[in-house]
Amino acid sequence: MAIRVIGTGFGRTGTDSMREALTILGFGPCHHMFEVMANEDQKRLWRALAQGATPDWNQLFAGYASCIDWPSAHYWRDLIEFYPDARVILTYRSPESWWKSFENTILAGISQSTDQESLGLALISRQVFGGRPHDRANAIAVYDANVRAVIATVPPGRLLVHNLGDGWEPLCLHLGVPVPDQSYPNRNNTKDFQSALAQN
């Protein structure tokens, strides 16, 4: 099974709702940080990658049809080349709104971690935010830079910028599937992020 949809947006941009939406639309299973949290093999493989192991994308995504959220979103440049036929989605919210959500969830989880090999510290804190995830100005600048890089790199016909609240229509049009007869998912697992990132 090859990855058919690649998410490039940071955590806390509606990625868990998008994970569920992609599954409903037939693009599941969808890889998300929750998959790493729930699977020791996934944790081992992604931790090794964060420590510099050579990526084996087919092994990392074995059994998955899509990927969204960290850790995979950090590697979107490699993934869009490795899976050239995959559609790309940038989940987006305003930088200020993102920071508020990030600060209360993922950052809180990172702050609790003492495991230097955890993805919260090794990947998100050190690699994504250059060791300065608590620096609001730095974090927002990194967030903005990622958004600009995705838009500048991915051809418009391959990329969907999906804002919080956009719902089914633009997503289904982008993926070439009918709009389902149910509400777009609305998930917000604050406590799950806080506890899990301290140990994953």
Side-chain angles (χ1 to χ4, degrees):
M1 178 185 293
I3 292 292
R4 300 164 60 199
V5 181
I6 297 166
T8 61
F10 281 10
R12 306 312 297 173
T13 58
T15 55
D16 190 29
S17 298
M18 180 61 72
R19 175 193 61 80
E20 187 171 331
L22 290 171
T23 300
I24 291 169
L25 295 177
F27 295 88
C30 179
H31 192 277
H32 182 282
M33 183 64 86
F34 287 142
E35 300 295 313
V36 180
M37 295 173 181
N39 186 304
E40 287 300 318
D41 284 339
Q42 279 283 318
K43 186 188 295 187
R44 175 180 55 80
L45 290 169
W46 284 97
R47 281 186 170 208
L49 182 61
Q51 297 296 329
T54 300
D56 182 341
W57 300 122
N58 288 326
Q59 181 185 31
L60 287 161
F61 293 117
Y64 294 97
S66 56
C67 60
I68 198 90
D69 196 72
W70 288 311
S72 61
H74 181 59
Y75 301 97
W76 65 262
R77 291 172 180 81
D78 296 322
L79 295 177
I80 63 172
E81 292 187 10
F82 192 81
Y83 299 106
D85 296 325
R87 307 294 282 172
V88 181
I89 298 172
L90 173 63
T91 47
Y92 180 80
R93 67 194 299 173
S94 72
E96 290 290 344
S97 170
W98 167 79
W99 167 256
K100 183 176 180 180
S101 180
F102 173 78
E103 183 181 32
N104 291 330
T105 55
I106 295 175
L107 187 57
I110 290 172
S111 299
Q112 298 171 22
S113 181
T114 58
D115 183 350
Q116 294 300 312
E117 293 188 2
S118 71
L119 291 179
L121 290 178
L123 180 74
I124 298 173
S125 177
R126 292 198 288 272
Q127 295 185 37
V128 176
F129 294 107
R132 297 162 56 202
H134 295 82
D135 182 332
R136 175 181 170 278
N138 174 70
I140 288 177
V142 171
Y143 175 84
D144 277 336
N146 185 71
V147 170
R148 290 195 305 271
V150 171
I151 293 172
T153 304
V154 184
R158 189 181 179 192
L159 174 66
L160 169 68
V161 178
H162 195 271
N163 298 275
L164 285 186
D166 278 354
W168 287 120
E169 284 74 13
L171 176 62
C172 293
L173 180 64
H174 183 62
L175 299 177
V177 296
V179 174
D181 188 21
Q182 63 186 94
S183 298
Y184 186 86
N186 182 13
R187 298 178 58 86
N188 187 13
N189 293 299
T190 301
K191 292 182 179 179
D192 289 346
F193 281 106
Q194 287 176 336
S195 60
L197 277 170
Q199 53 192 305
N200 288 287

